[in-house]
Amino acid sequence: MKVLRSLLLACPLLFATAVHAEKITIAAASDLKFAMDEIVTKFKKEHPGNEVEVAYGSSGNFNTQIQQGAPFDLFFSADIAFPQNLVKEGLAASEVKPYAIGRIVLWSATLDASKMTLKNLTDPKITRVAIANPKHAPYGKRAEEALRASGLWQKVEPKLVFGETIVQAAQFVQTGNAQVGIIALSLVSNPELSSKGGYWLIPENLHEPLEQGFVITKRAEGNALAKTFADYMGSKPVRAVMTKYGFALPGEVKGNLKSKKP
Amino acid sequence: MLLADNDLQAIGLTIRLASIVTLILLVLGTPIAWWLARTQSRWKGPLGAVVALPLVLPPSVLGFYLLLAMGPDGLIGRITQSLGMGLLPFTFWGLVVASVLYSMPFMVQPLQTAFEAIGDRPLEVAATLRASPLDAFFTVAVPLSLPGFLTACILTFAHTVGEFGVVLMIGGNLPGATRVASVQIYDHVEALEYAQAHRLAAAMLIFSFVVLLGLYLWRPKAKKG
């Protein structure tokens, strides 16, 4: 009898937590993989009892899916143009907030890329250079701009292979099928990649800034957790994580990004 | 023109890939199917299972292992490098190798069924007429299983045309070399070029339907005849 009564008493409590626990699903560009995983872990610790799920993929793909009503509450794009479009189409519940500036690096799993520059890509020993597909991947677009700005596009173009995302371009290099790749700085901080070779930071004056932005989607209008997470992105610990993974932060002097030896 | 030049190039490449793969599998798959159909060996089960693997494996599994195997440290990669062929990923022949593995069951299984349907009797008769096994195969088995050959070739061709996952993972999306029609459609969709994606996708849809319709209309007749 006692047990039953305490169970009955506990019922409203259970309900209370169930009401407060909320859930958000985030669509994030694949270059965010490592940084976002860490941010979400931190966020969950500070807001226990809530559910935060993240799907990683190509920004263009997410953009299309959200237009078609995919159940994402926040969209972290690798290109600020996609969320801006969503706002224009009335599919967003917030302004676009810039959260990072992406940088590109020359990376190799077999050579010491920290001693290379883009010019080395013309070396006949290098037969394959992996970049993300410039047609729709923002990092690929910046890679193409950097090659064109250096006057190397014509020589390097025949060696290029295209990954569908920046992560696939990195895979081509990691498996040794391409000797060199131009990939996101945020990816080479992953031990899986950084243990294999150094990288060379491509000067940012060679390409347009890769401004990345996020929005809360229409579906999450009134979702308090989505709002909390969006605010959390501007916090100090998050900024520290973003910097750690090689992102420059909007409105901050770009500081200590350097090329790295293996 | 309904389709752009790069779409036509992708279609041409796809047809070339599917034709070559079908020819290779015809040569490679026929003895395998023959052996599977006639053997009593205890290896029949394991080999049959290996051949059927691509039916159940996700293309990402095959693509991932092929990327490793055909890389500089992989077994296939070492062989192709020592033969002076370089590495296979990002090349047309890399796609051919991948597609041969991927489409294998579509050639072997219909052939095996056709060979099994012949039974022992016609071959025994051929043997009593002093036909060598090879002779019996070409003069008795092949004519009797022609519908099986046709089905196998059409399915292999169509399945190779429809391939997407593997070519996306090892192809590198190179126009004229590895950008087949399915990848080209994906490319259009990702670049938000829906009109182009629509046209090419519709072409694929019609092609696939016509092929399958042809097979289904023709199969019952073949059985009656």
Side-chain angles (χ1 to χ4, degrees):
Chain A
M1 211 39 206
K2 238 183 191 172
V3 179
L4 191 68
R5 201 193 299 169
S6 53
L7 269 178
L8 280 171
L9 280 174
C11 253
L13 279 176
L14 280 174
F15 251 92
T17 48
V19 168
H20 278 282
E22 285 186 83
K23 194 191 161 187
I24 47 170
T25 310
I26 298 170
S30 32
D31 69 316
L32 276 172
K33 169 82 178 116
F34 309 112
M36 187 58 87
D37 277 349
E38 202 169 316
I39 290 167
V40 166
T41 312
K42 274 184 198 288
F43 181 80
K44 276 188 187 158
K45 244 182 225 158
E46 290 184 28
H47 301 84
N50 295 300
E51 260 186 86
V52 182
E53 301 232 21
V54 192
Y56 297 100
S58 99
S59 303
N61 209 358
F62 283 136
N63 184 61
T64 310
Q65 290 178 354
I66 291 168
Q67 285 172 333
Q68 302 303 320
F72 294 117
D73 301 302
L74 290 139
F75 173 34
F76 285 80
S77 172
D79 192 332
I80 201 159
F82 288 122
Q84 279 168 348
N85 281 341
L86 291 181
V87 170
K88 262 185 229 154
E89 291 165 15
L91 294 168
S94 76
E95 293 287 291
V96 179
K97 285 187 198 149
Y99 63 89
I101 294 157
R103 293 293 303 272
I104 48 175
V105 296
L106 206 58
W107 177 67
S108 169
T110 45
L111 310 162
D112 182 1
S114 69
K115 294 205 180 88
M116 295 167 72
T117 68
L118 289 177
K119 271 213 183 73
N120 292 80
L121 297 180
T122 57
D123 186 332
K125 269 186 242 153
I126 291 173
T127 53
R128 289 296 184 197
V129 178
I131 67 174
N133 193 333
K135 204 169 150 199
H136 51 74
Y139 279 100
K141 222 176 273 172
R142 298 300 175 271
E144 179 178 342
E145 285 167 6
L147 286 170
R148 284 191 192 278
S150 320
L152 297 167
W153 178 254
Q154 301 226 307
K155 278 190 188 152
V156 178
E157 198 193 359
K159 303 179 177 187
L160 290 179
V161 289
F162 305 109
E164 284 318 298
T165 61
I166 194 67
V167 173
Q168 201 195 355
Q171 276 163 9
F172 286 158
V173 181
Q174 199 182 2
T175 53
N177 286 298
Q179 293 97 331
V180 191
I182 299 178
I183 66 169
L185 175 60
S186 61
L187 288 180
V188 286
S189 54
N190 169 24
E192 189 80 27
L193 271 60
S194 63
S195 62
K196 276 205 166 168
Y199 60 81
W200 181 70
L201 190 68
I202 294 173
E204 60 190 333
N205 58 5
L206 289 179
H207 59 84
E208 294 285 312
L210 212 167
E211 210 182 4
Q212 313 200 356
F214 76 92
V215 283
I216 301 175
T217 65
K218 190 89 184 160
R219 159 193 147 93
E221 206 162 28
N223 182 333
L225 189 64
K227 180 84 178 51
T228 312
F229 191 86
D231 292 339
Y232 185 68
M233 281 306 290
S235 72
K236 235 186 181 163
V238 167
R239 294 174 84 86
V241 172
M242 293 298 286
T243 314
K244 177 175 140 197
Y245 284 98
F247 289 106
L249 296 168
E252 238 174 47
V253 190
K254 302 125 213 161
N256 39 20
L257 299 178
K258 269 187 283 187
S259 301
K260 201 200 89 182
K261 290 193 179 91
Chain B
M1 193 65 212
L2 217 58
L3 292 162
D5 278 351
N6 56 2
D7 290 337
L8 292 175
Q9 188 185 37
I11 290 176
L13 187 71
T14 310
I15 292 172
R16 193 156 81 93
L17 176 69
S19 311
I20 292 174
V21 168
T22 307
L23 276 178
I24 292 178
L25 273 177
L26 191 60
V27 174
L28 221 64
T30 306
I32 296 176
W34 184 251
W35 185 82
L36 282 173
R38 314 223 59 91
T39 186
Q40 308 289 331
S41 161
R42 62 197 168 100
W43 293 106
K44 177 177 175 164
L47 188 77
V50 168
V51 167
L53 268 180
L55 290 175
V56 290
L57 280 183
S60 51
V61 173
L62 213 54
F64 170 60
Y65 280 131
L66 280 171
L67 196 60
L68 290 179
M70 303 199 304
D73 301 324
L75 183 68
I76 303 176
R78 284 200 200 140
I79 295 170
T80 56
Q81 275 181 315
S82 67
L83 292 174
M85 291 158 66
L87 295 173
L88 282 176
F90 322 128
T91 65
F92 178 76
W93 290 101
L95 294 196
V96 170
V97 171
S99 306
V100 161
L101 292 172
Y102 184 68
S103 295
M104 179 82 78
F106 293 83
M107 178 64 80
V108 171
Q109 294 195 340
L111 281 184
Q112 189 185 340
T113 312
F115 290 153
E116 279 166 354
I118 298 173
D120 294 335
R121 184 100 182 107
L123 293 165
E124 282 165 9
V125 172
T128 55
L129 295 172
R130 290 205 205 144
S132 72
L134 202 65
D135 194 4
F137 175 77
F138 281 109
T139 52
V140 179
V142 170
L144 281 176
S145 39
L146 264 189
F149 273 99
L150 205 59
T151 308
C153 286
I154 292 172
L155 280 181
T156 304
F157 187 90
H159 191 251
T160 309
V161 167
E163 181 177 352
F164 171 66
V166 174
V167 291
L168 192 72
M169 286 192 74
I170 64 162
N173 205 344
L174 298 176
T178 60
R179 186 183 293 162
V180 292
S182 59
V183 174
Q184 175 82 348
I185 293 171
Y186 182 77
D187 224 54
H188 283 319
V189 173
E190 282 283 281
L192 312 182
E193 299 163 352
Y194 296 147
Q196 283 111 304
H198 260 314
R199 284 196 283 270
L200 195 53
M204 289 287 271
L205 189 67
I206 293 166
F207 166 80
S208 310
F209 179 73
V210 168
V211 165
L212 290 177
L213 184 70
L215 265 182
Y216 282 121
L217 290 181
W218 168 78
R219 288 285 309 246
K221 274 185 215 146
K223 261 183 201 151
K224 270 178 244 157

